[in-house]
Amino acid sequence: MGMEHGERMSRRQVLAAGALTGAGLAGSTLWAPAKASAAAAPAIFYSPHQDDEALGLAGSILEHKAAGRPVYLVLVSKGENDGLAKKMNQDPCPLTIGDSRHPCAAGGHHGLSWPTDGTSMIVPARTAEFMASAKALGVDKVINFKLSDSPYNSDDNYYRFVDAVKAKIKALAKQYPGASHKFTAGWLEETDTHKALADAAYFLMNEGVLTDVRFNYVYAYDKPKAQRANGASYVLNIPSAHMAIKRKAIYCYNAWAPDRNLYALGYHSVPDKMESAHEDPREFVFTIPSRYTPGPIKHWTT
Ligand SMILES: [Zn+2]
Ligand SMILES: [Zn+2]
């Protein structure tokens, strides 16, 4: 097929540069963020999980930095994930079984012995990838909400999570008057975590707490290229210099450097999203739909 060659080129680039990035990374816990300029109000970007910022916020982060805005990056959830530990415990890598489209940075062999509670090993390693990505993007501050990724199984759990996110965003809005707030377009995305975050933004806009609010559609890259911009208020065409930096952020999720707690977890979690975001130099910016409906994603109909 016509696409095959191009996709193979892209994978090789991801793997090669991922390895380089891993080799050059400082320990994420040692990184002290640069000082933000005191004058301008920050643009605050909220990444529901470790990886969303690299997939769909990076170009916008760089755009705001280039405009002279301080950029703060919030990691909302801890990113617990039990399926990911099970994948990492396999050898050969399940990404290569019956489908060699996605060789991982470990070369297709890991066979770790991680606990499958979804938390130990997974949360610190995913967060190490996130910190490396944040460093690559040059954000001025990282804020970690450390919320358990728990809006699942009942409406009570869902709204408890919405309320917890809301309280933390509200505190930031108070701390940084005039800030703009950038979320993901949770109503278009697949997970209740993303939807709950958009709900929190929606409620805070209605309460007048947030005024300058945008939503980047970070799961757009699952769709055919021609459909990704449908409904967007603004398509950011990422300049090539910024796209090179966005790709460095993506490579942090396919870097294998266990001594620095980097295990290519992002790539094992969403390999297709990583590849298509890497290929597409665009981001898709939405405003809140006029007929927005809060609640778990299963209730949303377009
Ligand atoms: Zn996510
Ligand atoms: Zn693997």
Side-chain angles (χ1 to χ4, degrees):
M1 284 186 295
M3 289 299 289
E4 285 295 323
H5 183 65
E7 287 177 0
R8 196 172 299 114
M9 290 294 287
S10 133
R11 287 193 302 278
R12 201 150 49 225
Q13 287 165 346
V14 169
L15 288 171
L20 286 175
T21 306
L25 285 171
S28 58
T29 52
L30 299 177
W31 170 54
K35 290 251 187 304
S37 101
I44 305 178
F45 287 79
Y46 298 84
S47 188
H49 302 103
Q50 304 91 337
D51 69 18
D52 293 308
E53 85 297 343
L55 291 170
L57 301 173
S60 301
I61 286 171
L62 294 164
E63 179 192 36
H64 282 76
K65 280 191 62 73
R69 294 283 297 280
V71 170
Y72 299 170
L73 177 60
V74 176
L75 175 58
V76 173
S77 78
K78 291 195 273 190
E80 300 97 323
N81 185 327
D82 55 351
L84 206 40
K86 287 171 193 155
K87 274 186 197 171
M88 300 315 296
N89 290 347
Q90 290 183 45
D91 188 5
C93 173
L95 297 189
T96 65
I97 293 175
D99 176 3
S100 62
R101 294 189 313 123
H102 292 303
C104 72
H109 294 278
H110 18 84
L112 303 172
S113 308
W114 284 1
T116 53
D117 57 12
T119 302
S120 51
M121 301 311 293
I122 293 293
V123 170
R126 290 192 79 184
T127 304
E129 293 172 9
F130 177 85
M131 293 303 288
S133 165
K135 185 182 179 188
L137 294 171
V139 301
D140 298 291
K141 188 194 284 274
V142 173
I143 298 160
N144 191 344
F145 281 177
K146 293 187 180 170
L147 291 171
S148 199
D149 193 3
S150 57
Y152 297 97
N153 303 320
S154 74
D155 282 4
D156 277 358
N157 290 348
Y158 182 85
Y159 285 109
R160 198 175 296 120
F161 184 81
V162 172
D163 286 346
V165 175
K166 248 186 85 177
K168 287 187 175 285
I169 297 169
K170 202 168 180 172
L172 282 184
K174 196 170 179 183
Q175 192 176 355
Y176 302 109
S180 58
H181 297 261
K182 322 287 187 180
F183 299 90
T184 81
W187 63 93
L188 299 173
E189 296 160 351
E190 295 155 33
T191 82
D192 281 332
T193 312
H194 288 222
K195 181 61 164 55
L197 193 46
D199 282 10
Y202 170 79
F203 289 132
L204 289 168
M205 289 166 81
N206 285 350
E207 292 169 21
V209 174
L210 302 184
T211 49
D212 185 351
V213 183
R214 295 290 183 276
F215 301 85
N216 278 36
Y217 183 15
V218 301
Y219 282 14
Y221 307 99
D222 286 337
K223 299 178 110 179
K225 268 188 181 170
Q227 293 174 23
R228 291 175 190 169
N230 290 355
S233 303
Y234 168 57
V235 176
L236 171 63
N237 291 299
I238 305 171
S240 59
H242 287 180
M243 194 61 198
I245 299 170
K246 173 169 177 168
R247 287 183 173 132
K248 280 185 185 159
I250 291 174
Y251 302 148
C252 295
Y253 290 95
N254 195 27
W256 189 263
D259 58 323
R260 285 184 291 279
N261 219 5
L262 299 173
Y263 292 93
L265 296 185
Y267 198 71
H268 286 85
S269 171
V270 288
D272 295 307
K273 287 183 178 68
M274 290 278 167
E275 292 289 357
S276 48
H278 179 272
E279 284 292 297
D280 189 346
R282 296 179 299 169
E283 287 178 1
F284 311 95
V285 185
F286 284 67
T287 52
I288 199 91
S290 54
R291 39 179 296 280
Y292 189 88
T293 309
I297 192 78
K298 65 173 185 281
H299 300 317
W300 178 265
T301 53
T302 49

